[in-house]
Amino acid sequence: MALIPYKEALSRLMNDVVCRNETENVSLSALTGRILAQDVCAQFDAPRFDNSAMDGYAVCGLQQQNWLLTDSIAAGDATHGLQLQTGQAMRILTGAAIPAGTEAVIAQEDVNVLDGLLVCDRPLKSGQHIRRLAEEYAAGEVLLPAQMRLNAAAVGVIASQGLQQVACFRRIRITVLSSGNELQVPGCELKENQIYDSNRAMLLAALSDACFEVSDGGLLADDLPSSTDSLQAAARHNDVVLVSGGASVGDKDHTKEALAALGEIQHWKLAIKPGKPFGWGKIGDTQVFLLPGNPVASWVTFLALVQPAVRLMAGWTKQQAEPKTVSAVAEFDLPKPQNRQQFLRGSLQALTGRLSAHIHPQQGSAMLGVCAHSNALIVVPADTAVVRGDAVAVMYLSE
Ligand code: AMP
Ligand code: MG
C-alpha cells in the first residue's frame, strides 16, 4: 500500500465528512465556543439614539465661551420635551441621550462652572463627543455571520440585540475507546506487564469543547467479537467513535476488521511520522476513526486529522477547522532527512521579536511526556534536512 501524504489525507477526509446540519436554540449563558447556524442581523440601529460619549455638558452655541446651565441628564433619563436654546447648556453623563438643540458636548475636565454658568474658552467642533444614531451599524446589517464560532464579545453583541438565545449547530456526540489487553484503568492496580491507558483520558481532554458532547466508551479487549459488539453499540449512540490502538497490522489488531464487518473502512498508511497507521470509515451515519495506539502518534493524528474533521461535522468552516501553521525560524538542526513528513514536538516562542521554533530532544512516538510541554508541532517535509536558521512551518496548538 502506498503511503499517503498528509495534505492529501487531510483533504480527502475533509471532503468526505459533512456538517450534521441540525440546529438547536442555545441561551446566552451557554453560547461561548458554539457555532452559529444562522446570521445574526441587527434588529435596530446602534446607537439607537444620539448620545453623549463623555461626562460633561451639552451646549448650544459653538462660538460662545459661556452658557447658562438649565438641566441635567443621566444615562437612561427621558429627554422628551427637553430643548437647548442658543446660549444654554445641560449637564450630561456618558450614554445619556442628547437633548434637542445640542451642537456639541464639552468634556467636564475642559470647563469651569461658576454660579450656574458654564465657562469654556477652548474652540469647539460641531458634534464633538456625540455618538450618532446608527454610526456603528444600521438595522438589518449582518452582525455575526452563520458558522462563526462565538467568542465572549460575540455573546455580548447577541445580548445587545435583546436576544436571549440564537440557533447554533447542535453539539456532536463523540465517544472515545481504547483497545488493548495490556491497558489498565487509572486508579486500578497494574497487573504484570500492564500499562495505564493514557490515550483515552488524553483524547477526551483534547475534545473538551463547547461544540462536542463527549463520553467515555471504555476499553476494548483484543478480540474480534467483543471489539465488534462494542463498536456497534458505540456507533448507535454517537456521531463519532474514536478508537485508539489496534489499528495497525499486529496479530491482535482487530478494530479494522470489526469496522469493516459493521460498515465501511478506509485504512491508510500515512506518510507522516509519527502516526503511520490510520483508519476511518462509517457505521451507518456514524463516523469512526481508528488511531494508532502509540500515545504520541495518537495525539498527532488526532490534532492533524481527527480534530479538523470533527470540527467540520460540528459546523465550523473548513478554514476554521483546519490546523493553522505559521512560519518560524528553526532553532535546531535536523541533519537526517526522513521519507515521511515529520511532526516534531516542540515549542513556538516569540522572545526576540521573531517567531522561533524549538524541538524537544526526545522524539520517540511513545514519549507522551514531551507532548505535555509542547505548544507546537514543527512540520518538516519528507526528504528534508533542517539547518538552524531555516524557515520551518509550525502548527500552533493553543486553540
Ligand atoms: P497498538 O496500536 O495497539 O499496536 O499499540 C501500539 C503501542 O501503543 C503499544 O505499545 C501499546 O501498548 C500502546 N498503547 C496502545 N493503546 C494505548 C493507550 N490507550 N494508552 C497508552 N498506550 C497505548
Ligand atoms: Mg494493541
Side-chain angles (χ1 to χ4, degrees):
M1 198 195 310
L3 295 186
I4 303 178
Y6 168 63
K7 274 227 167 86
E8 188 189 327
L10 180 64
S11 130
R12 280 168 65 176
L13 192 56
M14 296 300 263
N15 285 333
D16 192 79
V17 298
V18 283
C19 171
R20 288 279 131 149
N21 244 338
E22 292 159 38
T23 65
E24 62 187 3
N25 282 330
V26 181
S27 57
L28 287 170
S29 60
L31 274 178
T32 317
R34 297 295 296 264
I35 307 292
L36 267 185
Q38 293 164 357
D39 293 346
V40 171
C41 294
Q43 323 269 308
F44 40 72
D45 299 337
R48 293 188 80 166
F49 46 85
D50 289 355
N51 68 88
S52 179
M54 303 285 263
D55 290 330
Y57 296 86
V59 299
C60 180
L62 295 175
Q63 307 308 324
Q64 314 196 191
Q65 295 194 332
N66 54 66
W67 300 262
L68 193 65
L69 274 170
T70 62
D71 220 320
S72 171
I73 317 160
D77 285 355
T79 50
H80 184 71
L82 286 184
Q83 171 78 46
L84 278 179
Q85 309 291 345
T86 307
Q88 291 184 334
M90 286 185 202
R91 174 79 172 133
I92 194 162
L93 300 179
T94 307
I98 295 295
T102 302
E103 291 181 304
V105 168
I106 312 177
Q108 73 183 40
E109 45 275 35
D110 293 340
V111 301
N112 287 306
V113 179
L114 302 164
D115 294 334
L117 207 62
L118 181 76
V119 181
C120 171
D121 54 10
R122 300 190 177 202
L124 303 181
K125 269 207 325 229
S126 174
Q128 72 178 36
H129 305 317
I130 298 175
R131 302 192 284 223
R132 291 293 181 194
L133 172 82
E135 75 176 18
E136 187 184 353
Y137 52 79
E141 273 181 44
V142 175
L143 301 179
L144 309 169
Q147 286 198 286
M148 179 179 181
R149 177 152 151 101
L150 298 172
N151 56 23
V155 176
V157 170
I158 291 165
S160 78
Q161 292 299 302
L163 301 170
Q164 285 180 299
Q165 49 181 30
V166 287
C168 294
F169 289 110
R170 77 157 170 82
R171 300 198 298 162
I172 298 295
R173 285 185 286 275
I174 307 179
T175 191
V176 180
L177 297 87
S178 294
S179 134
N181 285 347
E182 76 281 27
L183 301 176
Q184 181 56 283
V185 177
C188 296
E189 208 173 316
L190 289 175
K191 301 200 188 94
E192 190 186 6
N193 298 332
Q194 282 190 321
I195 58 169
Y196 284 120
D197 173 2
S198 53
N199 290 351
R200 195 152 38 114
M202 170 180 72
L203 294 168
L204 286 166
L207 284 163
S208 154
D209 187 287
C211 294
F212 308 134
E213 194 182 318
V214 289
S215 64
D216 185 340
L219 272 174
L220 289 181
D222 281 327
D223 76 84
L224 184 57
S226 79
S227 293
T228 311
D229 287 351
S230 302
L231 260 189
Q232 189 164 36
R236 212 170 290 136
H237 305 290
N238 290 282
D239 300 294
V240 177
V241 177
L242 225 67
V243 188
S244 75
S248 196
V249 291
D251 300 344
K252 298 274 181 189
D253 293 337
H254 296 299
T255 56
K256 299 188 307 286
E257 232 176 303
L259 177 54
L262 295 167
E264 353 160 350
I265 177 169
Q266 306 248 7
H267 188 242
W268 289 346
K269 286 208 166 110
L270 299 172
I272 67 173
K273 191 173 181 241
K276 196 156 81 173
F278 180 78
W280 60 287
K282 285 191 178 118
I283 301 173
D285 243 7
T286 301
Q287 196 83 45
V288 182
F289 295 96
L290 306 179
L291 304 187
N294 268 320
V296 182
S298 223
W299 187 65
V300 166
T301 48
F302 173 82
L303 292 171
L305 292 160
V306 177
Q307 181 167 267
V310 293
R311 284 176 169 178
L312 208 63
M313 293 177 73
W316 298 41
T317 61
K318 232 181 197 182
Q319 200 207 355
Q320 286 172 319
E322 288 190 355
K324 309 278 174 300
T325 56
V326 294
S327 179
V329 178
E331 293 293 338
F332 60 91
D333 291 304
L334 201 71
K336 231 172 89 191
Q338 303 281 327
N339 62 355
R340 293 183 273 160
Q341 172 172 325
Q342 298 181 78
F343 288 91
L344 301 167
R345 279 69 72 201
S347 63
L348 184 69
Q349 293 176 13
L351 294 179
T352 50
R354 65 176 197 179
L355 291 177
S356 54
H358 304 254
I359 60 169
H360 200 280
Q362 290 184 312
Q363 292 289 333
S365 69
M367 297 173 172
L368 187 61
V370 168
C371 300
H373 299 284
S374 298
N375 70 359
L377 291 172
I378 291 95
V379 183
V380 177
D383 307 317
T384 306
V386 179
V387 176
R388 189 178 291 266
D390 283 355
V392 284
V394 178
M395 214 169 108
Y396 186 58
L397 299 181
S398 284
E399 228 297 302

